[in-house]
Amino acid sequence: MLGMLAGAISSRALAQEEGATLPPIAGRVEAIVSDGAGGWYIGGDFDLVGGLPRSGLAHVLADQTVAIWNPGTDGPVTALALSDGVVYVGGEFEHAGGLSRNHVAAIDAQSGLATVWNPDANGAIEAFAVSGGTIYAGGCFTRIGNLARSHIAALDAGSGIPRVWNPGVNSVVFALATRGTTVYVGGCFSRAGGLPRQHLAALDGESGQPLLWNPEANGTVAALAASGGTVFAGGCFSRVAGLSRHHLAALDSESGLPLLWNPDANGMVTTLALSEGTLLAGGGFTRVGGLSRNHLVAIDAERGVPVLWNPDANDPVFALGIAPGVVVAGGVFSRIGELPRVGLAAIDPASGFAMVGAPSPR
């Protein structure tokens, strides 16, 4: 589990070790997805990666070099998903992979060219969730695929055509997570599927009908992660279901009731990721559970207590990726612990120290 110190490497030894590091970013990283082979697709608002021109999108290989893959977008990328050799891209752009693509595109994971998949949204895409042959998309749009879809849609992964699924949400969706046939939704809305739902909702993934699940956060939900019987939420709220929950909450996936779990962050949480019983969170906070945790924290997913893992980023983290043997963080930071890391960093999942040298793909 993250936070275990057995076999941890000292920061001094890391600083002295020879080896590559993830390439520096000229800009900000807002989305990360593993390529499944030890590398990472990254998206954000940047124009250089490792000194090479890369506009909004890049592929960092397992050896931590920048791939020739270079689709390019003309605006920020805020959401990524990978499925069946296709990188689904969402954001605020009008062109991607060499073609006109309004806010959403599918890019061939090998060639970097845009595929024919073209839902054509009229507003930014902020989140994806993939379930089978369906790509759930959330964001600022009100039309997609020439159909009215208010801030949330289900797209056919092959054709890009919106499915009949159409719950409708009355304002921006920032986060999506799926569990079985349920789609959990987070954002800054007050209605979902025609019913009052404050910033959190659960929708039937087949019918689109809102479920009874209704935790009612009092502020924006920016990140979601679901595992087993628990849905974790992060954002800038201070109360959930009438209980004090600062920026982080754990909710029963069936009832929506908050668990006793209460890490109590002192600033906004923008990204969440789960690994082996541990919840990783990134954002603008500097304390969690009464402990100093600058912009990155690992929390025991059952007890809600921060573990010893403490990378200590010097500025906000907006995206997290997890693969065997490595945690990758993206944001606007320039340092992890004592080591310079600009916008993108590989972090040891045991020690919390910035890594030097590429982890072996497993």
Side-chain angles (χ1 to χ4, degrees), residues 43-320:
D45 188 6
F46 50 77
D47 53 22
L48 292 172
V49 177
L52 298 176
R54 294 292 185 272
S55 180
L57 285 167
H59 183 197
V60 179
L61 299 173
D63 64 3
Q64 304 190 355
T65 62
V66 181
I68 60 172
W69 190 86
N70 186 17
T73 62
D74 59 354
V77 170
T78 50
L80 290 175
L82 177 64
S83 181
D84 294 329
V86 175
V87 181
Y88 295 94
V89 182
E92 301 173 25
F93 50 83
E94 295 180 354
H95 294 82
L99 297 176
S100 175
R101 291 291 184 268
N102 288 313
H103 306 291
V104 60
I107 307 296
D108 185 277
Q110 297 300 317
S111 70
L113 299 175
T115 72
V116 296
W117 194 88
N118 185 19
D120 192 34
N122 72 341
I125 303 294
E126 301 287 348
F128 289 126
V130 180
S131 181
T134 300
I135 309 295
Y136 293 100
C140 307
F141 56 88
T142 57
R143 295 189 67 82
I144 193 165
N146 291 320
L147 297 174
R149 293 290 185 272
S150 183
H151 304 288
I152 192 166
L155 308 171
D156 185 278
S159 68
I161 296 172
R163 302 194 188 279
V164 295
W165 192 87
N166 185 20
V169 175
N170 72 337
S171 194
V172 183
V173 169
F174 288 117
L176 295 170
T178 60
R179 175 182 174 270
T181 59
T182 300
V183 180
Y184 296 96
V185 186
C188 64
F189 51 84
S190 60
R191 296 184 69 83
L195 297 179
R197 293 290 185 269
Q198 295 292 329
H199 307 289
L200 282 164
L203 306 169
D204 186 285
E206 296 178 356
S207 70
Q209 292 296 310
L211 305 182
L212 294 176
W213 195 86
N214 186 19
E216 291 192 335
N218 72 339
T220 298
V221 172
L224 292 171
S227 177
T230 305
V231 177
F232 298 95
C236 60
F237 50 84
S238 60
R239 298 185 73 81
V240 177
L243 299 178
S244 176
R245 294 291 185 271
H246 289 99
H247 308 289
L248 282 164
L251 309 165
D252 185 276
S253 62
E254 297 294 334
S255 69
L257 294 175
L259 307 182
L260 294 176
W261 191 95
N262 188 15
D264 191 32
N266 73 340
M268 185 173 182
V269 172
T270 54
T271 182
L272 297 173
L274 282 162
S275 176
E276 299 178 357
T278 302
L279 179 74
L280 275 71
F285 51 83
T286 57
R287 294 187 71 82
V288 179
L291 301 176
S292 175
R293 291 293 185 271
N294 289 314
H295 310 294
L296 269 172
V297 66
I299 301 166
D300 186 290
E302 290 189 5
R303 298 185 298 127
V305 178
V307 301
L308 293 174
W309 192 84
N310 185 17
D312 189 29
N314 70 330
D315 271 311
V317 171
F318 299 128
L320 287 167

